[in-house]
Amino acid sequence: MESIVALEALIKENERKIDLQKQQIKNHEAGINKLSRMAFASSENSLEIATELVDKYKKMLEKLQSIEGKELEEKEKLVFLAERKKYFDAQPSRIKLNIEQSNDKKLEVLRIIEELPIDVNFEDKELFEIATKSLELGLGDLNDISNKLEDIKNEFKAIKDQIDEKDIQELATIDFFLPIVVLHFYVLSSNIMDNIEFDNERALQKKETLVNEINKKREEFTNSLKEKEELLKQKQSEENSDKEEIKNLESIIKSLNNELNKLKEIKIPEVKLKTFSGFPKYQDWWIRELWVSHQAYFALFKWKEIISNLCATTEQKKAWSIIFDRWVFIKKLLNDKGSLAYDYHYAFDSLMSTYGEIEEELEIKNIESMEVIINQITKKEDFSKNVGFHNINTSYLKFKMGKLKSKNDDKDENLLF
């Protein structure tokens, strides 16, 4: 249960705080690292709070773990007393109306409420504490990903069941690996789409903020202009009006009109929303001729680079590099099996298309056009250049040579005896 995982994480987090504060107090008393009076009082206070939280979370955890089987039915009659039942019945509505918490936390709390056993209820504050830790650990996402992996496995099994068993018996070793690679593509494409949605929302919000600021200034200048114009009319109607004051008012009105005109001339640029129409299509000959044709290798490299540029973070780029290697491994293995694995190969491609947004180019004209482009690019490339971090004496090579040397030295020593 995700709530148990989140509570365990909260307990460990506060236990680490306890250890840290105890060590600080111990060092202070031993004279190793003297604290000021305020810092020492703060450490004692933090230790007390963390200790109380650990006790509270352990009781909550114990309560969750103790609910099993028939105990659920027995406690159902005892827990829901009149006032408490009313409080917990209204809890979902109260959570939704909470203006102090973010929508993400409120949705997480509502999800946690649904998964709790029927007679286990926590206070609103406690639920938000669990939800905060659950979001921090990404437990909801992990649950969704786990469900998606099961969907992929079930669909893969359904496709395989329609294939002649004797054609795929040699490929059973990658049955477990293949759905995971499909899942990785699904997660990557989902993350890229989330990033695009976030960027679009931020761009729209930025535009909205700018529009609101301009409208606010317009309203301020307009109101001020009306006040000054009314005051000017009043002064002009007076018999003994101050001409200098009237002149100043006319100057202010002129300035306000100028500012209003400037605001009207401001053109707010339209937001160009990003879109994601899927990953670029790959071509089968890139895999089939890999390690034989440098054009095939270079085409795959460029395809990989294009998708890498779609990744918004360093973590995504690293993940994509690993996913790419695993995808190439499976594709190359299936290609090498030839017609024996065509049905199996097609099953893999179908799953990739359904879940991973990865499709193969099937139009011959497009394939031929891309081949011309690849040939033109490869002619311009200098294949004699190495990467910037090129070093023939790698760290692993040094490690391996050291291990072998140590092994040989041991053999020489044994020969002496």
Side-chain angles (χ1 to χ4, degrees), residues 216-234 236 248-264:
K216 184 179 179 181
K217 288 182 179 179
R218 283 178 180 172
E219 185 179 355
E220 290 174 354
F221 283 128
T222 301
N223 292 336
S224 180
L225 183 61
K226 287 180 180 179
E227 290 177 5
K228 299 302 179 185
E229 286 176 340
E230 289 176 2
L231 183 58
L232 178 61
K233 289 179 181 179
Q234 181 183 340
Q236 287 174 337
N248 289 335
L249 282 170
E250 289 174 342
S251 178
I252 293 172
I253 290 171
K254 183 178 179 181
S255 297
L256 288 172
N257 276 316
N258 289 335
E259 292 297 328
L260 273 173
N261 289 330
K262 288 180 182 178
L263 288 173
K264 290 176 181 178

Side-chain angles (χ1 to χ4, degrees), residues 176-194:
F176 174 78
F177 191 48
L178 190 148
I180 294 177
V181 173
V182 175
L183 177 68
H184 286 169
F185 268 97
Y186 166 79
V187 173
L188 180 64
S189 62
S190 298
N191 285 343
I192 289 174
M193 286 188 282
D194 288 342

Side-chain angles (χ1 to χ4, degrees), residues 75 130 198 291 338 353:
K75 290 199 173 185
I130 297 174
F198 176 77
W291 312 125
S353 175

Side-chain angles (χ1 to χ4, degrees), residues 204-216:
L204 291 170
Q205 188 175 10
K206 185 177 180 181
K207 178 185 176 182
E208 184 181 356
T209 301
L210 182 58
V211 169
N212 290 338
E213 288 177 358
I214 293 173
N215 289 337
K216 184 179 179 181

